[in-house]
Amino acid sequence: MKTFLGSLFFFFSLYTGAQEIPSDKVLKIGELQHFLNKEVKNAIAEEGAITQVQLAQYFRNKFAERFFYDYRTFDQRFLEYNRLYQNKEGHKNRALDHLGKYADSTSWVLPFNYLNGEKVNAYALRHLARQHKMADIILHGFNEGRDPKYIRYFEHQMRSLNAALEAGQYEKIEDGNGVYEVFRSGYRILNWLWIHNMILNEPEYSGQDQLITIATLLQHGQHLYERNDTFRSGNHQTRGMSALAMLAILLRDFQGTDLWYDRAMARLGEHLDKEINEDGFQFERSIHYHMSDINNYFYVYQLAKRNHIEVADSWTVQLRKLFATLVKVAYPDKSAPVLQDDTDIPWAEKNDISAAMTLGYLLFEDPGFGYFAADKVDARMYWFLNQSQVKTLQNIKGEKPSYGSLAFMDTHYYIMREGWDPKDKMLIISAGLDEKKPDHQHGDMLGIQAMANGHAILPNYQVRYSLKDFELFKNSKVKNVALVDNEVQGKAWTSNKGGSGFGKFKNLPNPEVIAWKNTNDFDLFVGAHDGFKNLGVAYTRQVIFVKDDFWIVKDNFSASEPHEYKQIWQGHYTLENGPNLIRATAADASGHDILQLIPLDTVVNSGARGKHWSVVSKRNRKEFSFLTVIYPYQGYQNRIDETEDEFSANGWRINKADWEISGNAPIGLRKENRFYFFRVQELKHKKMNLQFSEETDVFISQNEMQLQIHALGTAPIVLTITNMRGKKTKKELMPGKSMELRME
């Protein structure tokens, strides 16, 4: 049946004059003209065959019109590029690294060796397939007096892949490291298009060479087209379809590329719809992959505009949301937290979002984006801007955002923000898990990160897939989370099929968000996860931002058997007052104290890769709650005074007045007419009595006439109110909810 259908298609193609570009081989130069659209053929040569010279000149003209910038302006742009980026040494080092490892006519199937005799591993092969250092080789060649040997190296390496394709000697997709896998193929196309446009004026890059590149790109495009007829979740297909759309726009002179465009835009539209959450966050919950998606969509959006091709309005809406999300999640110093698999700078504690926000400004000229922008984009992206945009970079207008505390209700990041001055406080809570593709998720459920006084005081760390301790840095020991015994959140670690170094957890905790509340006095987050159910331990976490002074973290454990309960705090702490007070101090004398209001048993320091963390614990308990104050300070005199017997900071003190507290060792904090009560069962005041159905946590603000009560606990409570005359009233309060009472 398959043979019959194939024959029928061949007959139909001959009858209609249409031909399908092959995906299993690269067309010979002489064959290219047979795949051109009829009107293009007529435009190049009205009668007779089209010569290679004519065809090469035609496509040079079309690239000058269609590519992101006119290749004839390359020399001027290159001078400006070197002035802006000062990256000659970087290009040289990366170029020599690649040149020193691989012959120009390299192998494309494992096993094989580097030029120095060492074995090429899967991770390296994947990067060879991306050709991500080939642009460095070309740029290094321009910096070396336009030495043509670097262009020859590019040409020969491309042709070696074509030869490997024809011989079937390349890594197949089903083996896990496929050279033509959608992500790696898409990445390679992007790099080769970049290179092709840079060298179109070079004598070494003859018309014949140019047509070989075009033929190679056509084979790549058809291969992507044939294998992406359905949606597949994840950034790999997005990168490939971005490249296919670019090819379809740039090489629209060939038969069938209109189908490429339709398919690429359909797939990308599905990714925009399904993988950009309603709250604007990319579904993999990572800043790295969020910004990577921005780039994938930017290339297509930018090139379509350059070629006067209309793009659906939904693209504009979704793209704008992607940039707005980076604003909402940003730290006060204009950087962003490290979330899940962020990989650009291993062990870095923040993300630089300025390059991405600069793209946002260039597309939308929104001063809210401009506030985070720089006077230049990422070095790579410079080559995908038009000249007008390059000039716009010299006059960016910025406006400070007005976002306060907020929640990403689909992605489940929760942000407690003081403001936008560089030294202001901000804390972010991670409480989400993508059910479709949690590959890039870390063991940080209900984990927090914070910034104060310009420092990431409770950091997370960027990772790198190829490092041997990738699993360690992806799991709970290097997060600000609570743990039980020797259990970690990420379980059943597995590497990917190709063994390149990337790995993921098959089992991660399932989160539950119980409450999220913003008020003028505080922000409240209450959540739970089931990460310790195998130990028979129930767990909840409460995080309270006492505006604008400090945070309170309350971790609650309950089990039928005794366990050791732990909190992990990232940072460089000294323990001389531990375990109940640990302190980190930065070079500018700012710092933060982590104070335990309920005494603990032990504290130990640990670390790896120059990063440190402290583990505080309470042993041999069935039930226990940590009640922790995270107190940032600026200057020695503003720290928590460790010489005092009780907590006192910025007017807040342990409460001993106005209210009589009953419960299981209850604790109250007071500042003027504001009160936080923890583990309280009953509160007595001269004007009323408040009795709770079970031990809970509440915030109270009062004046002479009115009392406002906010439930801070993890479960619903019934509040019995008894006034001065003995009248009783019962009210149910859900976590995060509030009620008002008249003081009688």
Side-chain angles (χ1 to χ4, degrees), residues 383-524:
W383 298 103
F384 299 94
L385 301 182
N386 60 45
Q387 196 57 37
S388 174
Q389 289 171 323
V390 172
K391 290 180 179 178
T392 299
L393 294 173
Q394 300 169 13
N395 189 30
I396 293 175
K397 295 178 174 61
E399 183 178 293
K400 187 179 290 189
S402 58
Y403 293 113
S405 299
L406 55 85
F408 292 92
M409 298 303 290
D410 303 299
T411 314
H412 295 296
Y413 285 120
Y414 299 83
I415 294 172
M416 299 174 171
R417 186 186 299 280
E418 178 181 6
W420 286 98
D421 290 335
K423 289 185 177 292
D424 279 348
K425 303 175 188 68
M426 182 189 131
L427 181 141
I428 182 168
I429 303 155
S430 177
L433 179 68
D434 185 78
E435 60 182 16
K436 295 179 181 177
K437 193 173 181 287
D439 296 18
H440 296 291
Q441 184 92 14
H442 286 212
D444 74 334
M445 196 59 66
L446 305 192
I448 62 177
Q449 297 177 60
M451 167 166 277
N453 297 310
H455 303 288
I457 63 169
L458 297 174
N460 188 18
Y461 314 112
Q462 294 198 36
V463 297
R464 181 58 55 85
Y465 301 150
S466 59
L467 296 176
K468 292 181 179 179
D469 54 5
F470 172 44
E471 180 185 356
L472 168 67
F473 274 81
K474 190 163 177 164
N475 216 334
S476 308
K477 290 184 180 179
V478 290
K479 315 296 173 188
N480 298 291
V481 295
L483 298 178
V484 180
D485 298 334
N486 294 315
E487 200 78 5
V488 288
Q489 291 188 17
K491 300 177 180 68
W493 174 260
T494 180
S495 61
N496 67 336
K497 186 177 181 180
S500 68
F502 174 75
K504 58 188 176 182
F505 301 112
K506 289 185 177 179
N507 188 351
L508 286 161
N510 294 294
E512 177 190 359
V513 177
I514 297 169
W516 168 250
K517 179 79 170 182
N518 307 121
T519 75
N520 292 331
D521 291 302
F522 65 87
D523 295 330
L524 170 70

Side-chain angles (χ1 to χ4, degrees), residues 673 685 687 701-708 741 743:
N673 62 348
H685 189 271
K687 292 187 177 182
S701 63
Q702 69 179 75
N703 56 40
E704 290 185 1
M705 300 299 296
Q706 195 171 39
L707 187 76
Q708 192 171 61
L741 299 172
M743 297 289 284

Side-chain angles (χ1 to χ4, degrees), residues 36-47:
L36 291 169
N37 292 317
K38 184 176 180 181
E39 59 272 20
V40 175
K41 290 180 184 179
N42 293 337
I44 298 173
E46 291 185 4
E47 296 180 3

Side-chain angles (χ1 to χ4, degrees), residues 245-274:
M246 292 168 65
L247 287 179
I249 294 170
L250 292 168
L251 300 177
R252 57 184 182 267
D253 318 270
F254 290 96
Q255 299 168 22
T257 53
D258 55 337
L259 301 178
W260 294 5
Y261 183 79
D262 291 343
R263 178 160 294 176
M265 296 304 281
R267 292 293 86 77
L268 289 171
E270 288 174 305
H271 282 271
L272 275 168
D273 180 56
K274 297 177 181 179

Side-chain angles (χ1 to χ4, degrees), residues 319-325 327 354 356-374 396-399 403:
L319 257 179
R320 195 177 192 104
K321 281 170 64 175
L322 286 169
F323 291 110
T325 289
V327 176
S354 61
M357 296 309 297
T358 306
L359 289 182
Y361 183 80
L362 291 175
L363 286 180
F364 299 108
E365 295 192 10
D366 185 330
F369 300 162
Y371 179 75
F372 298 88
I396 293 175
K397 295 178 174 61
E399 183 178 293
Y403 293 113

Side-chain angles (χ1 to χ4, degrees), residues 484 529-530 532-539 557-559 561 563 565:
V484 180
H529 70 67
D530 63 358
F532 311 122
K533 67 179 180 180
N534 58 314
L535 301 176
V537 179
Y539 169 70
F557 301 90
S558 178
E561 299 292 332
H563 292 275
Y565 300 125

